[in-house]
Amino acid sequence: MKHLNYKFSNSSTDFYLAYGISHLKEITDRQATVLITDENVYNAHSKRFKGWNVIILKAGEEYKVQATVDAVIEQLIEMEADRKTTLVGVGGGVITDITGYVASVYMRGLRFGFVPTSLLAMVDASIGGKNGIDVGVYKNMVGMIRQPAFILHDMSLLNTLPQREWENGFAEIIKHACIKDAAMFKQLEENSFKIYQNRKKSVCELIQRNAILKTRVIQQDEFEKGERRLLNFGHTLGHALENQYELLHGQAVSIGMTYACHISEQLTEFKQTEKVVNVLEKYGLPTYASFNKQKVFDILKMDKKREKKEMNYVLLEKIGKGVVRSISLNHLANIIDNF
Ligand SMILES: NC(=O)c1ccc[n+]([C@@H]2O[C@H](COP(=O)([O-])OP(=O)(O)OC[C@H]3O[C@@H](n4cnc5c(N)ncnc54)[C@H](O)[C@@H]3O)[C@@H](O)[C@H]2O)c1
Ligand SMILES: [Zn+2]
């Protein structure tokens, strides 16, 4: 069990790493707390929810939309939730994104925390305070940056995580390695799913290393003026594919990283695409895909990293060193056309 506190520009987050969810009652007052979860997590762990106020949502990215937010708000009103209420998202990234968003708009803002239950949410989605929802095919189009008061990891929750969701989570881990951590990349090359899944200690260490890596990036650049942009590696194309082709977030990002490597080969000195592709495939992720280039480009150009006619694209100089380059939309359309 490890308790850490990380400060951000105007708030701080308590991390309770490798705790049990049973400790939640020591962190937040049961009576004044509402847990938000999805059906899968609730059904797999219903005992853990006993004695708590719970809102259960349908599972899946298609529910990360305003209609769900409205439904949650109505339930909060029914429960007479007030400004002293704490919301805790217990689930994957869809649940943590929705919970942070609702908590930031209900009565102009409640305290909130997360118990991430998927690998992806533990290493990525629960960290950094980006809370938001999708609008049709446009990912995370609406939302805000606001940090959770606490994040609690209970490793035993992962026992029920389906295999494809493990793969999904490794996409963001490989992303972190590519942009910032060559040593971790090497470790991923040498290890395998089996090794991580059979050795509780190694997966626990991997999760903490990633959670801390992301947290440090956010501390340096909470509002994404520079360094934080690196975390979008694979996400510009990835987001354009995700809802259009109903991919898992990690799968979409994996394809996005593959093509971002190829763009890097053209625009930086990058020469290690094959290594990245091999690691992605080793962890069960898709790399090359055929897609409707026009349709995907039309969605891609609405990405939040666009500034007028230029897109800030995250590329690699080498494994472990991400960089941001501005590419004109015309040039980008050209590159994508030639994939
Ligand atoms: N805010 C951010 O900074 C950030 C970063 C990365 C990703 N995201 C968002 O996160 C989402 C993806 O997160 P995700 O992959 O966790 O998706 P998710 O929340 O849909 O969870 C994946 C699936 O696993 C199930 N599940 C989760 N935990 C489980 C458990 N312990 N046992 C059994 N089943 C379990 C869920 O019910 C769901 O079906 C995307 O919407 C993405 O945009 C946000
Ligand atoms: Zn992501």
Side-chain angles (χ1 to χ4, degrees):
M1 293 195 337
K2 206 187 271 178
H3 177 206
L4 304 166
N5 179 274
Y6 285 97
K7 300 221 173 335
F8 300 99
S9 46
N10 54 12
S11 65
S12 74
T13 302
D14 283 303
F15 280 70
Y16 301 93
L17 298 174
Y19 267 63
I21 194 174
S22 58
H23 288 278
L24 195 57
K25 59 182 184 303
E26 293 146 29
I27 300 167
T28 184
D29 172 18
R30 233 185 237 261
Q31 302 307 323
T33 297
V34 177
L35 308 186
I36 301 179
T37 190
D38 73 26
E39 288 176 343
N40 296 340
V41 175
Y42 185 80
N43 291 337
H45 300 280
S46 55
K47 273 196 196 139
R48 320 276 187 118
F49 291 90
K50 282 236 165 74
W52 292 90
N53 305 304
V54 192
I55 294 176
I56 306 167
L57 305 178
K58 291 213 171 86
E61 183 75 24
E62 65 268 38
Y63 296 102
K64 203 177 98 174
V65 292
Q66 187 63 41
T68 308
V69 172
D70 293 345
V72 173
I73 289 172
E74 274 169 30
Q75 289 192 62
L76 288 173
I77 293 171
E78 225 164 83
M79 292 168 140
E80 299 182 1
D82 60 25
R83 284 198 177 141
K84 294 271 180 253
T85 302
T86 298
L87 300 188
V88 183
V90 184
V94 169
I95 289 297
T96 55
D97 279 10
I98 292 176
T99 302
Y101 181 59
V102 171
S104 302
V105 294
Y106 185 77
M107 293 193 174
R108 296 199 196 94
L110 305 183
R111 175 179 181 255
F112 67 104
F114 297 139
V115 179
T117 65
S118 70
L119 178 63
L120 189 142
M122 282 185 178
V123 299
D124 191 351
S126 64
I127 301 163
K130 279 191 183 174
N131 312 294
I133 52 169
D134 304 338
V135 179
V137 291
Y138 300 107
K139 286 272 305 171
N140 307 333
M141 220 27 182
V142 176
M144 76 290 290
I145 294 180
R146 190 165 171 260
Q147 303 300 332
F150 62 85
I151 295 173
L152 182 148
H153 284 186
D154 179 340
M155 299 296 295
S156 75
L157 294 168
L158 292 176
N159 293 342
T160 57
L161 192 71
Q163 176 65 22
R164 63 174 207 154
E165 298 301 338
W166 279 92
E167 295 160 7
N168 192 28
F170 266 87
E172 306 282 16
I173 292 175
I174 296 168
K175 175 193 79 179
H176 287 154
C178 284
I179 57 168
K180 281 228 147 266
D181 193 341
M184 179 162 72
F185 190 91
K186 199 147 183 269
Q187 194 195 98
L188 291 165
E189 275 183 315
E190 286 162 2
N191 286 356
S192 69
F193 254 132
K194 274 223 174 83
I195 292 179
Y196 285 119
Q197 284 173 327
N198 293 340
R199 279 204 237 126
K200 291 254 149 66
K201 193 161 168 274
S202 65
V203 81
C204 189
E205 279 168 8
L206 186 70
I207 289 173
Q208 295 189 6
R209 181 177 185 140
N210 278 275
I212 290 166
L213 182 151
K214 178 165 181 188
T215 304
R216 294 227 167 99
V217 173
I218 308 300
Q219 278 187 309
Q220 282 174 45
D221 177 27
E222 188 174 356
F223 298 103
E224 202 162 315
K225 305 273 183 270
E227 185 82 353
R228 184 171 188 169
R229 292 195 287 198
L230 295 180
L231 296 169
N232 296 313
F233 179 53
H235 283 60
T236 308
L237 178 64
H239 275 165
L241 294 169
E242 184 173 341
N243 288 4
Q244 175 82 9
Y245 291 99
E246 296 183 12
L247 298 167
L248 292 183
H249 180 71
Q251 294 175 326
V253 169
S254 177
I255 298 169
M257 288 192 281
T258 303
Y259 288 101
C261 283
H262 282 279
I263 302 178
S264 305
E265 298 225 352
Q266 292 186 35
L267 301 181
T268 72
E269 296 291 286
F270 190 65
K271 291 186 181 62
Q272 298 167 298
T273 300
E274 210 182 314
K275 267 180 177 257
V276 176
V277 167
N278 285 344
V279 166
L280 292 169
E281 289 178 349
K282 183 167 190 184
Y283 290 91
L285 289 158
T287 50
Y288 297 95
S290 58
F291 51 85
N292 182 325
K293 290 171 184 167
Q294 188 58 50
K295 249 186 175 169
V296 165
F297 186 74
D298 285 343
I299 303 172
L300 180 146
K301 67 180 187 218
M302 286 305 293
D303 190 281
K304 294 183 289 303
K305 290 172 295 301
R306 175 176 54 89
E307 286 171 10
K308 297 204 176 111
K309 296 264 175 234
E310 301 274 317
M311 184 70 80
N312 289 311
Y313 219 96
V314 186
L315 303 174
L316 299 181
E317 260 177 16
K318 59 181 181 194
I319 287 169
K321 187 161 187 346
V323 287
V324 179
R325 289 284 156 85
S326 169
I327 311 177
S328 77
L329 287 185
N330 283 339
H331 189 185
L332 194 56
N334 225 311
I335 294 174
I336 290 176
D337 223 35
N338 287 314
F339 277 161

Coordinates of all heavy atoms in Angstrom, one line a residue, residues 77-132:
I77 N -30.4 14.4 -8.4 CA -31.4 15.3 -7.9 C -32.4 14.5 -7.1 O -32.8 14.8 -5.9 CB -32.2 16.1 -9.0 CG1 -31.2 17.1 -9.7 CG2 -33.4 16.8 -8.5 CD1 -31.7 17.7 -10.9
E78 N -32.8 13.3 -7.6 CA -33.7 12.4 -6.9 C -33.1 12.0 -5.6 O -33.8 11.8 -4.6 CB -33.9 11.2 -7.8 CG -35.4 10.8 -7.8 CD -35.6 9.8 -9.0 OE1 -35.3 8.6 -8.8 OE2 -35.9 10.3 -10.1
M79 N -31.8 11.7 -5.6 CA -31.1 11.3 -4.3 C -30.8 12.5 -3.4 O -30.3 12.3 -2.3 CB -29.7 10.7 -4.7 CG -29.8 9.4 -5.4 SD -28.2 8.9 -6.1 CE -28.2 7.2 -5.8
E80 N -31.2 13.7 -3.8 CA -31.0 14.9 -3.1 C -29.5 15.1 -2.8 O -29.1 15.6 -1.7 CB -31.8 14.9 -1.8 CG -33.3 14.8 -2.1 CD -34.2 14.9 -0.8 OE1 -33.6 15.0 0.3 OE2 -35.4 14.8 -1.0
A81 N -28.7 14.8 -3.8 CA -27.3 15.1 -3.7 C -27.1 16.6 -3.6 O -27.8 17.4 -4.3 CB -26.5 14.6 -4.9
D82 N -26.2 17.1 -2.7 CA -25.9 18.5 -2.6 C -24.5 18.8 -2.8 O -23.7 18.0 -3.1 CB -26.5 19.1 -1.3 CG -25.9 18.4 -0.1 OD1 -24.7 17.9 -0.2 OD2 -26.5 18.3 1.0
R83 N -24.1 20.1 -2.5 CA -22.7 20.5 -2.7 C -21.7 19.7 -1.9 O -20.5 19.8 -2.1 CB -22.6 22.0 -2.5 CG -23.1 22.8 -3.6 CD -22.6 24.2 -3.5 NE -23.1 24.9 -4.7 CZ -23.4 26.2 -4.6 NH1 -23.4 26.8 -3.5 NH2 -23.9 26.8 -5.7
K84 N -22.2 19.1 -0.8 CA -21.3 18.3 0.1 C -21.1 16.9 -0.4 O -20.4 16.1 0.2 CB -21.8 18.4 1.5 CG -21.8 19.7 2.1 CD -20.4 20.0 2.8 CE -20.4 21.3 3.5 NZ -19.5 22.3 2.8
T85 N -21.8 16.5 -1.5 CA -21.7 15.2 -2.0 C -20.4 14.9 -2.7 O -20.0 15.8 -3.4 CB -22.9 14.9 -2.9 OG1 -24.1 15.1 -2.2 CG2 -22.9 13.5 -3.4
T86 N -19.9 13.8 -2.6 CA -18.7 13.4 -3.3 C -19.1 12.3 -4.3 O -19.9 11.4 -4.0 CB -17.6 12.7 -2.4 OG1 -17.2 13.7 -1.5 CG2 -16.4 12.2 -3.2
L87 N -18.7 12.4 -5.6 CA -19.0 11.4 -6.6 C -17.7 10.6 -6.8 O -16.6 11.1 -6.9 CB -19.4 12.0 -7.9 CG -20.6 12.9 -8.0 CD1 -21.0 13.3 -9.4 CD2 -21.8 12.2 -7.3
V88 N -17.9 9.3 -6.8 CA -16.7 8.4 -7.1 C -17.0 7.5 -8.3 O -18.0 6.7 -8.3 CB -16.4 7.5 -5.9 CG1 -15.1 6.7 -6.1 CG2 -16.2 8.4 -4.6
G89 N -16.2 7.7 -9.3 CA -16.4 6.8 -10.5 C -15.6 5.5 -10.3 O -14.4 5.5 -10.1
V90 N -16.4 4.4 -10.3 CA -15.8 3.1 -10.1 C -15.9 2.3 -11.4 O -17.0 1.8 -11.7 CB -16.4 2.3 -9.0 CG1 -15.7 1.0 -8.7 CG2 -16.5 3.1 -7.7
G91 N -14.9 2.4 -12.3 CA -15.1 1.7 -13.6 C -13.9 2.0 -14.5 O -12.8 2.5 -14.1
G92 N -14.1 1.7 -15.8 CA -13.1 2.0 -16.8 C -13.1 3.5 -17.2 O -13.8 4.3 -16.5
G93 N -12.4 3.8 -18.2 CA -12.3 5.2 -18.6 C -13.6 5.9 -19.0 O -13.7 7.1 -18.8
V94 N -14.6 5.1 -19.5 CA -15.9 5.7 -19.8 C -16.5 6.3 -18.5 O -17.0 7.4 -18.5 CB -16.8 4.7 -20.5 CG1 -18.2 5.2 -20.6 CG2 -16.2 4.4 -21.9
I95 N -16.5 5.5 -17.5 CA -17.1 5.9 -16.2 C -16.3 7.0 -15.5 O -16.9 8.0 -15.0 CB -17.1 4.6 -15.3 CG1 -18.2 3.6 -15.8 CG2 -17.4 5.0 -13.8 CD1 -19.6 4.2 -15.8
T96 N -15.0 6.9 -15.6 CA -14.2 8.0 -14.9 C -14.4 9.3 -15.7 O -14.6 10.4 -15.1 CB -12.7 7.7 -14.8 OG1 -12.1 7.3 -16.0 CG2 -12.5 6.5 -13.8
D97 N -14.4 9.3 -17.0 CA -14.7 10.5 -17.8 C -16.0 11.1 -17.5 O -16.2 12.3 -17.3 CB -14.6 10.2 -19.3 CG -13.1 10.2 -19.8 OD1 -12.2 10.2 -19.0 OD2 -12.9 10.1 -21.1
I98 N -17.1 10.3 -17.5 CA -18.4 10.8 -17.2 C -18.5 11.3 -15.8 O -19.1 12.4 -15.5 CB -19.5 9.6 -17.4 CG1 -19.6 9.2 -18.9 CG2 -20.9 10.1 -16.9 CD1 -20.5 8.1 -19.1
T99 N -18.0 10.6 -14.8 CA -18.1 11.0 -13.4 C -17.4 12.3 -13.2 O -18.0 13.2 -12.5 CB -17.4 9.9 -12.5 OG1 -18.1 8.7 -12.7 CG2 -17.5 10.3 -11.0
G100 N -16.2 12.5 -13.7 CA -15.5 13.8 -13.6 C -16.3 14.9 -14.2 O -16.3 16.0 -13.7
Y101 N -16.9 14.6 -15.3 CA -17.7 15.7 -16.0 C -18.9 16.1 -15.2 O -19.2 17.2 -15.0 CB -18.1 15.1 -17.4 CG -18.8 16.1 -18.3 CD1 -18.3 17.3 -18.6 CD2 -20.1 15.7 -18.7 CE1 -19.1 18.2 -19.4 CE2 -20.8 16.6 -19.6 CZ -20.3 17.8 -19.9 OH -21.0 18.7 -20.7
V102 N -19.7 15.0 -14.8 CA -20.9 15.3 -14.0 C -20.5 16.1 -12.7 O -21.1 17.1 -12.4 CB -21.7 14.0 -13.7 CG1 -22.8 14.3 -12.7 CG2 -22.2 13.4 -14.9
A103 N -19.5 15.6 -12.1 CA -19.0 16.2 -10.8 C -18.6 17.7 -11.0 O -18.7 18.5 -10.1 CB -17.9 15.4 -10.2
S104 N -18.2 18.0 -12.2 CA -17.7 19.4 -12.5 C -18.9 20.3 -12.8 O -18.7 21.5 -12.8 CB -16.7 19.4 -13.5 OG -15.6 18.6 -13.1
V105 N -20.0 19.8 -13.3 CA -21.1 20.7 -13.7 C -22.3 20.7 -12.7 O -23.0 21.6 -12.5 CB -21.6 20.4 -15.1 CG1 -20.5 20.8 -16.1 CG2 -22.1 19.0 -15.3
Y106 N -22.5 19.6 -12.0 CA -23.6 19.5 -11.0 C -23.4 20.5 -9.9 O -22.4 20.5 -9.3 CB -23.7 18.1 -10.5 CG -24.9 17.8 -9.6 CD1 -26.2 17.7 -10.1 CD2 -24.8 17.8 -8.2 CE1 -27.3 17.5 -9.3 CE2 -25.9 17.7 -7.4 CZ -27.2 17.5 -7.9 OH -28.3 17.3 -7.1
M107 N -24.4 21.4 -9.7 CA -24.3 22.4 -8.7 C -23.0 23.2 -8.8 O -22.4 23.6 -7.8 CB -24.5 21.9 -7.3 CG -25.9 21.4 -7.1 SD -26.2 21.1 -5.4 CE -27.9 20.6 -5.4
R108 N -22.5 23.4 -10.0 CA -21.2 24.1 -10.4 C -20.0 23.4 -9.8 O -18.9 24.0 -9.7 CB -21.2 25.5 -9.9 CG -22.3 26.3 -10.6 CD -21.9 27.8 -10.5 NE -23.1 28.6 -10.9 CZ -24.0 29.0 -10.0 NH1 -23.8 28.8 -8.7 NH2 -25.1 29.6 -10.5
G109 N -20.1 22.1 -9.4 CA -18.9 21.4 -9.0 C -18.9 20.7 -7.7 O -19.1 21.4 -6.6
L110 N -18.7 19.4 -7.7 CA -18.6 18.6 -6.5 C -17.2 18.0 -6.4 O -16.5 18.0 -7.4 CB -19.6 17.4 -6.5 CG -21.1 17.7 -6.8 CD1 -21.9 16.4 -6.7 CD2 -21.6 18.7 -5.7
R111 N -16.9 17.6 -5.2 CA -15.6 16.8 -5.0 C -15.8 15.5 -5.7 O -16.9 14.9 -5.7 CB -15.4 16.6 -3.5 CG -14.2 15.8 -3.1 CD -14.2 15.7 -1.5 NE -13.1 14.9 -1.1 CZ -13.2 13.7 -0.5 NH1 -14.4 13.1 -0.4 NH2 -12.1 13.1 -0.1
F112 N -14.8 15.0 -6.3 CA -14.9 13.7 -6.9 C -13.6 12.9 -6.8 O -12.5 13.4 -6.7 CB -15.4 13.7 -8.4 CG -14.4 14.4 -9.3 CD1 -13.6 13.6 -10.2 CD2 -14.2 15.8 -9.4 CE1 -12.8 14.2 -11.1 CE2 -13.4 16.4 -10.3 CZ -12.6 15.6 -11.1
G113 N -13.7 11.6 -6.9 CA -12.6 10.7 -6.9 C -12.8 9.5 -7.8 O -13.9 9.3 -8.3
F114 N -11.8 8.7 -8.1 CA -11.9 7.5 -9.0 C -11.3 6.3 -8.3 O -10.3 6.3 -7.7 CB -11.1 7.8 -10.3 CG -11.6 8.9 -11.1 CD1 -10.6 9.8 -11.7 CD2 -12.9 9.2 -11.3 CE1 -11.0 10.9 -12.5 CE2 -13.3 10.3 -12.1 CZ -12.4 11.1 -12.7
V115 N -12.0 5.2 -8.6 CA -11.5 3.8 -8.4 C -11.5 3.2 -9.8 O -12.4 2.6 -10.2 CB -12.3 3.0 -7.4 CG1 -11.7 1.6 -7.3 CG2 -12.5 3.7 -6.1
P116 N -10.4 3.4 -10.5 CA -10.3 2.8 -11.9 C -10.3 1.3 -11.8 O -9.6 0.7 -11.0 CB -9.0 3.4 -12.5 CG -8.2 3.7 -11.3 CD -9.1 4.1 -10.2
T117 N -11.0 0.6 -12.7 CA -11.1 -0.8 -12.6 C -10.6 -1.5 -13.8 O -10.5 -2.7 -13.9 CB -12.6 -1.3 -12.4 OG1 -13.3 -0.9 -13.6 CG2 -13.2 -0.7 -11.2
S118 N -10.3 -0.7 -14.9 CA -9.6 -1.3 -16.1 C -8.2 -0.9 -16.1 O -7.8 0.1 -15.5 CB -10.3 -0.9 -17.4 OG -10.0 0.5 -17.6
L119 N -7.3 -1.7 -16.8 CA -5.9 -1.4 -16.8 C -5.8 0.0 -17.5 O -5.0 0.8 -17.0 CB -5.2 -2.5 -17.7 CG -3.7 -2.3 -18.0 CD1 -2.9 -2.3 -16.7 CD2 -3.2 -3.3 -18.9
L120 N -6.5 0.2 -18.5 CA -6.4 1.5 -19.2 C -6.8 2.7 -18.3 O -6.1 3.7 -18.3 CB -7.4 1.5 -20.5 CG -7.2 2.7 -21.4 CD1 -7.3 2.3 -22.9 CD2 -8.1 3.8 -21.1
A121 N -7.8 2.5 -17.5 CA -8.2 3.6 -16.6 C -7.1 3.8 -15.5 O -6.8 4.9 -15.1 CB -9.5 3.4 -16.0
M122 N -6.5 2.7 -15.1 CA -5.5 2.8 -14.0 C -4.2 3.6 -14.5 O -3.7 4.4 -13.7 CB -5.1 1.4 -13.5 CG -6.1 0.8 -12.6 SD -5.4 -0.8 -11.9 CE -6.7 -1.3 -10.8
V123 N -3.8 3.3 -15.7 CA -2.5 3.8 -16.2 C -2.8 5.2 -16.9 O -1.8 5.9 -17.2 CB -1.8 2.9 -17.1 CG1 -1.4 1.6 -16.4 CG2 -2.5 2.6 -18.4
D124 N -4.0 5.5 -17.2 CA -4.2 6.6 -18.1 C -5.5 7.4 -17.8 O -5.4 8.5 -17.2 CB -4.2 6.2 -19.6 CG -4.1 7.4 -20.5 OD1 -4.2 8.5 -20.1 OD2 -3.9 7.1 -21.7
A125 N -6.7 6.9 -18.1 CA -7.9 7.7 -18.1 C -8.2 8.4 -16.8 O -8.7 9.5 -16.8 CB -9.1 6.9 -18.6
S126 N -7.9 7.8 -15.7 CA -8.2 8.4 -14.4 C -7.3 9.5 -14.0 O -7.6 10.2 -13.0 CB -8.2 7.3 -13.3 OG -6.9 6.8 -13.1
I127 N -6.2 9.6 -14.7 CA -5.2 10.6 -14.3 C -5.2 11.8 -15.2 O -5.3 11.7 -16.4 CB -3.8 9.9 -14.4 CG1 -3.7 8.7 -13.5 CG2 -2.7 10.9 -14.1 CD1 -2.6 7.8 -13.8
G128 N -5.0 13.0 -14.7 CA -4.8 14.2 -15.5 C -6.0 15.1 -15.6 O -5.9 16.2 -16.1
G129 N -7.2 14.7 -15.1 CA -8.3 15.6 -14.9 C -9.0 15.9 -16.2 O -9.9 16.8 -16.2
K130 N -8.7 15.3 -17.3 CA -9.6 15.5 -18.5 C -10.8 14.7 -18.3 O -10.8 13.5 -18.3 CB -8.8 15.0 -19.8 CG -7.8 16.0 -20.3 CD -7.4 15.5 -21.7 CE -6.3 16.4 -22.2 NZ -5.7 15.9 -23.5
N131 N -12.0 15.5 -18.2 CA -13.2 14.8 -18.1 C -14.1 15.2 -19.2 O -14.2 16.4 -19.5 CB -13.9 15.3 -16.8 CG -12.9 15.2 -15.6 OD1 -12.5 14.1 -15.2 ND2 -12.5 16.3 -15.1
G132 N -14.8 14.3 -19.9 CA -15.6 14.8 -21.0 C -16.4 13.6 -21.7 O -16.3 12.5 -21.3

